Amino acid sequence: MMKGESIVPEQAMKPFSTAYQSDRIKLVDAIPLSVPLCVSLEPTNICNFRCLMCWQGMEEYRHRGGPFMNMSADVFHKALQDMEDICAKGGSLIKLVKLYFAGEPLLNKNIGEMLRELKEAGVCQQVEVTTNASLLSAELSRAFVDYGLDYLRASIYSVYTDNHRRITQTEVPPNEIRDNIAYLRKYRDEQNKQKPYISAKIIDTHSEENDQFKEFYSGVSDEAWIDVPWDVAGTQEKALDRLYGSEGAGFEARKEYHETSLFKKRKACRYPFTHLVIKSNGDVVVCCMDWPRQTKLGNIMEESLVNIWEGKKLYDFRVMQLKTHGAGHPLCGTCEVPLRDCAEDDIDTLDIRKLTYTGEEME
């Protein structure tokens, strides 16, 4: 199936909380991939929230996370053309395009138009947006429904006004966010549509607020679920200590997270083999944890996405992951994301000789 074909019928939409666990491939047998499974396009790296557990709320991000900007039309259209080219060359579609990364995507006033053009280009099976929903206007909600957004994930930080103010460091009330999401669902249902599937999630509060959250969003989102927290890679500040209020509480959260993870020790990360992120200025980095651009591979305004995906820099990064599991790398060395992988994601036994760059097999 290629450009213009409908891949996932509306009646087949799966809950976001389980969608990533279905239809998985055994990566060690599938690599190398001709087309990335997922591309993240960053509409902006600016946010209107300063959440305690996020890089946006940390002093390090303000000093090292820039340049701070919205993605321009020129960068977006180059990214779109490059995705069309990589799909044509690879003979398949990108499985998922995420219209978000380090910032609040709805701050880019062109987000609706970006979705429309992305859908019309037919380069991917699905499009997903993650947002704090504080800027989810009625007009934007209608655009998301009319243009066929597949998943909207609403990151909720608290259902209590005082706690929401503490975590987000804003004055936006939880009721306002809920009302925005309620309008999106109402308009979607009035149009007899199934998309976007609306998923509301909150980071585990370790309290009765988990149940209050589920009740608060009952009948508003399609699902309300509890997310597992983790620390931000590459920072001195400990996100979980900040979120839960103390080193002790942060330690307990980390302990519970590790106990529930499938993998308990460092392993090769799948992201260099499956994902790409295009930052708001066109920089391409390996994964969605790289807020300081420490895995930068190039810039799409200077070279093509095809060349970056098949190039020497990414080849070397993949080899590094297989040989060292990221140990010693300024970002990967502190990243816990690979521990959350599924069994099918384990690539520790991948034969390095299967990897290529610029079309040539390497010894």
Side-chain angles (χ1 to χ4, degrees), residues 68-138:
F68 299 107
M69 60 191 298
N70 287 348
M71 179 175 282
S72 69
D74 287 344
V75 172
F76 173 73
H77 288 135
K78 176 59 163 57
L80 196 58
Q81 182 61 59
D82 279 9
M83 286 190 288
E84 291 182 358
D85 293 344
I86 202 171
C87 289
K89 187 175 189 295
S92 65
L93 299 179
I94 299 164
K95 187 174 183 179
L96 176 66
V97 169
K98 300 180 180 183
L99 274 177
Y100 65 92
F101 173 37
E104 167 49 52
L106 307 195
L107 280 172
N108 189 320
K109 60 182 176 58
N110 296 319
I111 184 73
E113 183 66 12
M114 294 168 77
L115 171 64
R116 183 188 67 79
E117 293 189 39
L118 187 57
K119 280 290 189 172
E120 288 182 353
V123 296
C124 61
Q125 295 180 16
Q126 293 183 331
V127 180
E128 170 193 315
V129 167
T130 292
T131 171
N132 62 40
S134 64
L135 303 174
L136 184 60
S137 65

Side-chain angles (χ1 to χ4, degrees), residues 10 30 55 59 76 104-105 115 130 142 177 198 271 291 320-321 326 355:
E10 292 194 350
W55 44 63
E59 190 68 24
F76 173 73
E104 167 49 52
L115 171 64
T130 292
R142 292 192 293 269
I177 293 172
I198 305 168
Y271 275 33
W291 60 272
M320 178 273 291
Q321 278 293 333
L355 304 183

Side-chain angles (χ1 to χ4, degrees), residues 266-277:
R266 182 173 299 281
K267 60 185 291 293
C269 180
R270 64 189 165 95
Y271 275 33
F273 304 87
T274 60
H275 286 57
L276 285 177
V277 176

Side-chain angles (χ1 to χ4, degrees), residues 25 27 52 57 83 90 108 142 159 186 200 228 236 248 252 256 266 269 277-278 284 311 322:
I25 61 175
L27 283 178
L52 295 177
M83 286 190 288
N108 189 320
R142 292 192 293 269
V159 297
K186 177 176 180 291
V228 176
Q236 295 297 317
E252 290 301 319
E256 179 177 331
R266 182 173 299 281
C269 180
V277 176
I278 303 175
V284 179
L322 293 174

Side-chain angles (χ1 to χ4, degrees), residues 27-290:
L27 283 178
V28 72
D29 296 332
I31 292 170
L33 301 174
S34 60
V35 174
L37 295 179
C38 178
V39 173
S40 293
L41 289 179
E42 182 182 68
T44 185
N45 60 350
I46 305 167
C47 192
N48 59 329
F49 282 12
R50 295 289 182 269
C51 297
L52 295 177
M53 65 292 187
C54 177
W55 44 63
Q56 291 283 351
M58 298 181 181
E59 190 68 24
E60 292 171 85
Y61 184 73
R62 288 188 280 276
H63 289 294
R64 298 167 53 205
F68 299 107
M69 60 191 298
N70 287 348
M71 179 175 282
S72 69
D74 287 344
V75 172
F76 173 73
H77 288 135
K78 176 59 163 57
L80 196 58
Q81 182 61 59
D82 279 9
M83 286 190 288
E84 291 182 358
D85 293 344
I86 202 171
C87 289
K89 187 175 189 295
S92 65
L93 299 179
I94 299 164
K95 187 174 183 179
L96 176 66
V97 169
K98 300 180 180 183
L99 274 177
Y100 65 92
F101 173 37
E104 167 49 52
L106 307 195
L107 280 172
N108 189 320
K109 60 182 176 58
N110 296 319
I111 184 73
E113 183 66 12
M114 294 168 77
L115 171 64
R116 183 188 67 79
E117 293 189 39
L118 187 57
K119 280 290 189 172
E120 288 182 353
V123 296
C124 61
Q125 295 180 16
Q126 293 183 331
V127 180
E128 170 193 315
V129 167
T130 292
T131 171
N132 62 40
S134 64
L135 303 174
L136 184 60
S137 65
E139 179 182 8
L140 192 50
S141 290
R142 292 192 293 269
F144 283 166
V145 173
D146 295 345
Y147 297 150
L149 178 65
D150 295 283
Y151 285 98
L152 183 133
R153 183 174 66 160
S155 295
I156 308 302
Y157 300 105
S158 181
V159 297
Y160 303 143
T161 300
D162 288 346
N163 198 41
H164 192 266
R165 182 184 299 116
R166 179 187 72 87
I167 293 174
T168 67
Q169 302 185 71
T170 71
E171 297 298 323
V172 179
N175 284 345
E176 183 176 308
I177 293 172
R178 183 182 182 275
D179 289 346
N180 291 346
I181 297 170
Y183 178 85
L184 171 64
R185 179 165 180 169
K186 177 176 180 291
Y187 179 77
R188 182 199 68 184
D189 293 350
E190 288 174 347
Q191 307 309 305
N192 295 316
K193 299 286 185 68
Q194 300 298 317
K195 299 190 298 186
Y197 185 94
I198 305 168
S199 178
K201 62 97 175 175
I202 193 171
I203 291 179
D204 194 350
T205 67
H206 299 282
S207 73
E208 71 282 351
E209 188 177 2
N210 288 352
D211 293 329
Q212 292 294 323
F213 159 72
K214 292 179 180 179
E215 181 178 345
F216 196 58
Y217 277 91
S218 176
V220 176
S221 59
D222 294 309
E223 66 174 351
W225 56 287
I226 311 303
D227 199 7
V228 176
W230 69 86
D231 279 312
V232 177
T235 62
Q236 295 297 317
E237 301 171 84
K238 295 296 184 182
L240 299 190
D241 295 354
R242 289 161 55 89
L243 175 62
Y244 294 119
S246 70
E247 288 186 12
F251 174 82
E252 290 301 319
R254 288 183 202 94
K255 180 180 177 182
E256 179 177 331
Y257 158 67
H258 285 293
E259 288 175 349
T260 57
S261 296
L262 175 62
F263 298 99
K264 309 299 183 184
K265 62 181 181 179
R266 182 173 299 281
K267 60 185 291 293
C269 180
R270 64 189 165 95
Y271 275 33
F273 304 87
T274 60
H275 286 57
L276 285 177
V277 176
I278 303 175
K279 295 280 293 174
S280 53
N281 70 336
D283 283 347
V284 179
V285 298
V286 169
C287 78
C288 60
M289 287 300 287
D290 189 7

